[in-house]
Amino acid sequence: AGPVLLAARVLGRPIVIQEQNAFPGVTNKLLGQMATSIHLAFPEARRFFDAKRCIVSGNPTRAALVDVDRAEARRHFAVPETGRLLLVFGGSLGSAALNTAMETHLERLLAEPDIYVIWQTGSLYFDRVHDRVTPHERLSVLKYIDRMDLAYAAADAVLARAGAITCSELMVTGTPSILVPSPNVAEDHQTPNARSMSDAGAARFLAEADLAGRLADEALGLLRDADTRRAMRDAALRIAKPHAAREIAADILNRINTP
């Protein structure tokens, strides 16, 4: 990509980049110096670039995530409308920290008779979790969720990592969340993502170091508080960018067609 971008600059062609995280990576920091426009998913990233060239357009997300029928979603996962559903996931491969903490706190979560749990372990950890966890009528342990649109619509709260796309999906679906940023990713970029959502009132921030001791308290506190969940939903929808793909594409086409 480097030679192409250098050629574009020499020829005076517009350069458009997109930064998915609240804390930009090294490559985009460098490319931002020559970019014509810089599309951001989080407003906090603006301070790393020339603000005049920044557009907070969000991360592209699937249109299918929006306006999903909650009753249909609940039927799909066999969760009654009166149940309170916690959706837990750590990505396609899974999160060792989330899975270990869930094993510790699961009994306490399910002790409340109307709480349901959908726990997506990821492919790396499914066999171990499946073998170690006692089956329960209000628990679904899954390797992978292929209908995330229905999962978000069914959930009352989410416990997840704070990857850029996960955060954007939580925004556009208005799903209250507890975000546990991974400390093992490049430049700890998930922590600023989670802080951004927490500062906006759309999520709660939970450091991985506190996860083992506080998971049940945090999850149960949120599941018991409908008013807080409504406020978090409203906050998430306020900062959501459901038309990100359209806005980014429109900007690119406009620059192509401008002499």
Side-chain angles (χ1 to χ4, degrees), residues 86 88 98-112 115-119 129 132-136 138-141 215-216 220:
L86 176 66
V88 182
L98 286 180
N99 287 332
T100 299
M102 279 296 296
E103 285 189 47
T104 301
H105 291 269
L106 185 61
E107 183 176 355
R108 186 175 166 204
L109 291 171
L110 293 174
E112 298 205 8
I115 286 184
Y116 290 72
V117 176
I118 295 175
W119 177 4
V129 171
R132 289 165 59 96
V133 171
T134 303
H136 192 286
R138 289 183 277 112
L139 169 67
S140 296
V141 178
L215 187 155
L220 290 172

Side-chain angles (χ1 to χ4, degrees), residues 158-192:
V158 160
L159 174 69
R161 290 302 201 184
I165 300 304
T166 293
C167 289
S168 294
E169 290 181 346
L170 291 168
M171 293 179 206
V172 300
T173 58
T175 308
S177 59
I178 301 166
L179 296 177
V180 185
S182 171
N184 303 314
V185 296
E187 301 178 276
D188 191 27
H189 65 255
Q190 288 193 7
T191 293

Side-chain angles (χ1 to χ4, degrees), residues 8 23 111 142 183:
F23 186 86
L142 306 173

Side-chain angles (χ1 to χ4, degrees), residues 43-208:
E44 289 82 358
R46 186 186 283 112
R47 65 190 179 94
F48 297 96
F49 302 103
D50 179 354
K52 297 189 296 295
R53 291 180 285 133
C54 290
I55 305 166
V56 182
S57 51
N59 283 318
T61 54
R62 292 167 288 174
L65 294 176
V66 181
D67 296 328
V68 181
D69 183 71
R70 179 178 170 88
E72 177 191 352
R74 288 277 171 131
R75 287 193 297 271
H76 180 84
F77 291 107
V79 176
E81 188 55 39
T82 54
R84 292 174 292 169
L85 174 60
L86 176 66
L87 170 64
V88 182
F89 60 91
S92 58
L93 296 179
S95 161
L98 286 180
N99 287 332
T100 299
M102 279 296 296
E103 285 189 47
T104 301
H105 291 269
L106 185 61
E107 183 176 355
R108 186 175 166 204
L109 291 171
L110 293 174
E112 298 205 8
D114 63 340
I115 286 184
Y116 290 72
V117 176
I118 295 175
W119 177 4
Q120 184 256 323
T121 65
S123 58
L124 289 180
Y125 305 99
F126 176 77
D127 290 338
R128 191 196 77 164
V129 171
H130 186 267
D131 291 343
R132 289 165 59 96
V133 171
T134 303
H136 192 286
E137 63 181 356
R138 289 183 277 112
L139 169 67
S140 296
V141 178
L142 306 173
K143 180 185 294 186
Y144 182 77
I145 300 174
D146 60 359
R147 290 298 306 272
M148 283 301 296
D149 56 332
L150 297 179
Y152 284 127
D156 292 292
V158 160
L159 174 69
R161 290 302 201 184
I165 300 304
T166 293
C167 289
S168 294
E169 290 181 346
L170 291 168
M171 293 179 206
V172 300
T173 58
T175 308
S177 59
I178 301 166
L179 296 177
V180 185
S182 171
N184 303 314
V185 296
E187 301 178 276
D188 191 27
H189 65 255
Q190 288 193 7
T191 293
N193 294 350
R195 289 291 186 197
S196 177
M197 299 239 342
S198 176
D199 290 347
R204 288 183 174 173
F205 180 98
L206 180 60
E208 186 174 294

